[in-house]
């Protein structure tokens, strides 16, 4: 039977970051993903590397976590980040202005007042009726570039990554989880893999995995959110409404598009839910309050994904549930050894979550190596992979040739996106 130091269940941004962190400390992790990498929430997010400002007033812990990670990710993954900066624009809730600035100051989130006239010159598509503007350090973090860089770093450090391998059960010896039973969807076989520690990073599916270990009492609130794509870049910066975090607050410039989001509605099953039909009209109204021209351009498509939030008692206003993360050690909490679960958090804070989980894994295994991911630059696949490696992996010759051509063509962005996806599919 195969044996690893750790099995990581779920290949979203959190699982990839955990596999990388553990491997970089010299451990041998196996990452299991039931579909493609990033096929859960991470591949369908809003694209925002938070500065923390959004949470400064009502969720200071999450604000602080985001502010710290914002700096780190810009440093270690510059090739995945577009450092756009962001504006918070005041439209109507004027009483929030002072509170917002106070919250940012208290949580050490850098902000700068911007004259409205200057902001409108910088961002001419903005609603001309904005009353005040504050600049923050928001940025765009391109999901697939980041994921592939994390995956590559994990592989280069010795991690094993298997896609289309679904965990269908956990192996138990007494009160200890000793591995996973896995269905390999590629060759229709079932096998068992053993590990000293099993880490659940299955996002909104984590509750299902915990149930496999008979852990029934960790409750998550599964909150779906819809985003709408405007097929045009409307601003240089990320634009947020300056108000208590609510639905339809943010427009993110993502490549040549702009993403208007989001909404929040509780669902039961992340594999079986639909986008409420009223979300299109709602996002159109909210988005065009920021950029009136959205009404003329329209949306090219809508998509949605599910937040794996931490359930706190009876709280039903999903915007009031904290976006901070938590790591559950089920030995302490539920008398189940060898099992850890990561819950909550943001795409922005995935690296920090992975650090916290990996610290705990190392503690359990008596490994003394500390985290290196804070200060180690992630590999840029296009720089790290040689044409020879791509050729060996089966990547088509025409793509390799074009990928290694000098940048500068108008198709560069499309080509790079295609390349990232292809590299991912040939590597794992
Ligand atoms: C609408 C919306 C917008 C968001 N926007 C932002 C944003 O702009 N900025 C930000 O920082 N955060 C944002 N977030 C939050 C962020 O996207 C999530 O916190 C993050 O992506 C969660 O990643 P994850 O790896 O934990 O989960 P996921 O990405 O869902 O990964 C879990 C993986 O586990 C796999 N899996 C499930 N069951 C099994 C099994 N049995 N065996 C093997 N694999 C399994 C799934 O297929 C999936 O790939 C947003 C969230 C939502 C919902």
């Amino acid at each position: 039977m195969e044996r690893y130091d750790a099995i990581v269940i779920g290949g979203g941004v959190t699982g990839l970051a955990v596999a990388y962190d553990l491997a970089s400390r010299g451990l041998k992790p196996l990452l299991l993903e039931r579909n493609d990498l990033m096929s859960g929430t991470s591949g369908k997010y809003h694209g925002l590397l938070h500065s923390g400002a959004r949470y400064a007033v009502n969720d200071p812990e999450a604000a602080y976590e985001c502010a710290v990670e914002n700096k780190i990710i810009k440093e270690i993954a510059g090739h995945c980040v577009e450092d756009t900066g962001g504006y918070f624009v005041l439209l109507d809730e004027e009483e929030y202005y002072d509170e917002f600035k106070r919250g940012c100051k208290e949580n050490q989130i850098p902000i700068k007042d911007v004259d409205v006239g200057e902001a409108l010159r910088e961002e001419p598509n903005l609603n001309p009726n904005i009353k005040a503007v504050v600049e923050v350090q928001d940025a765009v973090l391109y999901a697939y570039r980041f994921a592939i860089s994390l995956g590559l770093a994990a592989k280069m450090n010795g991690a094993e990554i298997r896609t289309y391998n679904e965990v269908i059960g956990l192996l138990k010896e007494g009160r200890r989880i000793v591995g996973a039973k896995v269905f390999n969807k590629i060759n229709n076989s079932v096998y068992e893999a053993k590990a000293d520690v099993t880490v659940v990073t299955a996002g909104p599916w984590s509750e299902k995995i915990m149930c496999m270990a008979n852990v029934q009492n960790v409750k998550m609130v599964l909150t779906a959110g819809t985003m709408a794509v405007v097929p045009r870049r409307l601003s240089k910066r990320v634009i947020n409404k300056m108000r208590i975090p609510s639905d339809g607050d943010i427009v993110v410039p993502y490549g040549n598009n702009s993403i208007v989001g989001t909404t929040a509605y509780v669902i039961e099953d992340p594999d079986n839910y639909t986008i409420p039909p009223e979300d299109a009209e709602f996002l159109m109204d909210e988005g065009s309050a920021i950029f009136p021209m959205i009404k003329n351009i329209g949306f090219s498509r809508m998509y949605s994904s599910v937040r794996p939030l931490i359930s706190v008692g009876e709280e039903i206003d999903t915007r009031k549930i904290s976006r901070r993360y938590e790591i559950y050690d089920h030995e302490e909490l539920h008398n189940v050894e060898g099992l850890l679960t990561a819950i909550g958090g943001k795409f922005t804070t995935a690296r920090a979550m992975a650090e916290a989980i990996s610290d705990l894994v190392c503690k359990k295994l008596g490994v003394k190596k500390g985290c290196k991911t804070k200060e180690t630059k992630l590999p840029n696949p296009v720089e790290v992979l040689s044409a020879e490696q791509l050729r060996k992996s089966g990547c088509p010759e025409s793509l390799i040739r074009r990928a290694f051509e000098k940048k500068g063509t108008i198709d560069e962005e499309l080509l790079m996106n295609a390349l990232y996806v292809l590299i991912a599919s040939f590597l794992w």
Side-chain angles (χ1 to χ4, degrees):
M1 188 182 300
E2 300 171 321
R3 226 201 134 76
Y4 297 85
D5 292 317
I7 288 175
V8 183
I9 305 174
V13 68
T14 314
L16 283 163
V18 172
Y20 164 45
D21 194 322
L22 291 174
S24 69
R25 299 189 205 208
L27 298 182
K28 178 86 188 152
L30 167 67
L31 173 69
L32 297 166
E33 164 55 50
R34 66 175 186 161
N35 294 324
D36 279 315
L37 294 175
M38 304 289 279
S39 55
T41 304
S42 304
K44 309 177 199 77
Y45 92 128
H46 202 170
L48 175 53
L49 180 67
H50 283 276
S51 60
R54 177 166 171 77
Y55 304 115
V57 172
N58 67 347
D59 196 351
E61 270 182 83
Y64 179 75
E65 286 168 6
C66 287
V68 171
E69 284 306 301
N70 178 285
K71 282 204 198 84
I72 295 176
I73 301 301
K74 284 179 184 171
E75 198 52 46
I76 63 165
H79 62 286
C80 311
V81 174
E82 191 180 343
D83 200 357
T84 56
Y87 279 168
F88 272 72
V89 298
L90 188 69
L91 283 159
D92 33 34
E93 295 180 25
E94 289 176 40
E95 65 288 354
Y96 189 62
Y97 180 72
D98 289 334
E99 225 182 321
F100 173 72
K101 288 181 64 171
R102 194 169 43 246
C104 289
K105 205 168 162 208
E106 279 170 14
N107 292 295
Q108 294 160 42
I109 294 161
I111 51 171
K112 195 175 118 205
D113 281 313
V114 180
D115 171 69
V116 170
E118 189 196 326
L120 289 172
R121 276 191 295 281
E122 281 287 310
E123 301 290 0
N125 295 326
L126 272 176
N127 183 340
N129 298 322
I130 50 175
K131 298 185 175 90
V133 180
V134 169
E135 187 164 19
V136 299
Q137 297 186 346
D138 283 346
V140 176
L141 176 56
Y142 288 99
Y144 276 88
R145 289 186 196 170
F146 191 54
I148 290 164
S149 302
L150 282 173
L152 192 57
K155 295 266 294 189
M156 286 161 69
N157 282 280
E160 203 172 316
I161 298 176
R162 292 186 194 157
T163 53
Y164 290 92
N165 275 244
E166 177 166 0
V167 171
I168 52 171
L170 294 176
L171 309 179
K172 292 171 210 150
E173 278 175 12
R175 58 192 192 96
R176 169 169 283 279
I177 301 299
V178 293
K181 188 170 177 187
V182 188
F183 173 50
N184 181 332
K185 295 179 176 180
I186 297 164
N187 62 13
N188 263 329
S189 65
V190 173
Y191 65 95
E192 292 183 348
K194 281 203 156 188
D196 295 324
V197 182
T198 299
V199 180
V200 185
T201 54
W205 294 270
S206 296
E207 215 176 295
K208 290 188 181 171
I209 310 283
M210 285 185 278
C211 284
M212 294 177 187
N214 283 334
V215 172
Q216 312 276 359
N217 47 354
V218 177
K219 290 284 168 246
M220 294 165 62
V221 184
L222 301 184
T223 315
T226 308
M227 289 143 286
V229 180
V230 183
R232 175 159 166 195
R233 185 158 176 144
L234 298 166
S235 57
K236 292 181 236 169
R237 296 167 181 78
V238 176
I239 309 293
N240 287 261
K241 284 183 193 155
M242 198 189 300
R243 65 180 186 190
I244 292 276
S246 175
D247 291 354
D249 285 345
I250 310 174
V251 181
V252 179
Y254 204 75
N256 290 331
N257 298 298
S258 303
I259 309 175
V260 182
T262 68
T263 58
Y265 44 98
V266 176
I267 57 148
E268 290 295 318
D269 182 355
D271 288 317
N272 189 17
Y273 72 96
T274 47
I275 294 180
E278 63 275 15
D279 276 15
E281 196 182 331
F282 173 81
L283 290 174
M284 177 57 73
D285 288 345
E286 294 293 327
S288 53
I290 301 176
F291 293 112
M293 63 167 30
I294 292 180
K295 279 241 151 80
N296 302 330
I297 304 171
F299 296 141
S300 57
R301 73 196 119 107
M302 319 259 296
Y303 64 98
S304 77
S305 56
V306 182
R307 299 173 188 88
L309 301 181
I310 303 166
S311 167
V312 274
E314 295 303 303
E315 182 58 75
I316 43 162
D317 180 348
T318 55
R319 290 289 175 196
K320 287 196 179 145
I321 299 176
S322 174
R323 268 45 175 173
R324 77 193 150 80
Y325 62 82
E326 253 181 52
I327 314 299
Y328 292 113
D329 180 346
H330 297 288
E331 182 174 351
E332 278 171 15
L333 293 168
H334 309 107
N335 205 19
V336 176
E337 290 175 20
L339 187 70
L340 303 173
T341 300
I343 295 192
K346 303 287 298 174
F347 199 111
T348 303
T349 56
R351 190 217 61 84
M353 277 170 94
E355 177 178 347
I357 296 166
S358 305
D359 283 348
L360 212 50
V361 171
C362 285
K363 196 168 152 206
K364 286 188 178 296
L365 300 183
V367 172
K368 295 239 174 334
K369 291 210 175 130
C371 177
K372 292 188 202 154
T373 64
K374 261 203 269 306
E375 58 269 331
T376 310
K377 284 200 192 302
L378 280 174
N380 180 344
V382 180
E383 285 167 7
V384 169
L385 293 170
S386 67
E388 196 44 43
Q389 278 169 306
L390 279 180
R391 208 164 275 128
K392 272 192 200 145
S393 71
C395 192
E397 191 66 36
S398 58
L399 188 82
I400 299 169
R401 208 175 44 247
R402 293 190 64 195
F404 287 89
E405 277 170 4
K406 290 264 178 279
K407 292 181 175 183
T409 71
I410 52 166
D411 283 331
E412 181 203 355
E413 190 184 324
L414 285 176
L415 177 66
M416 293 312 284
N417 284 343
L419 181 68
Y420 278 114
V421 173
L422 270 159
I423 288 175
S425 57
F426 284 110
L427 271 182
W428 323 124

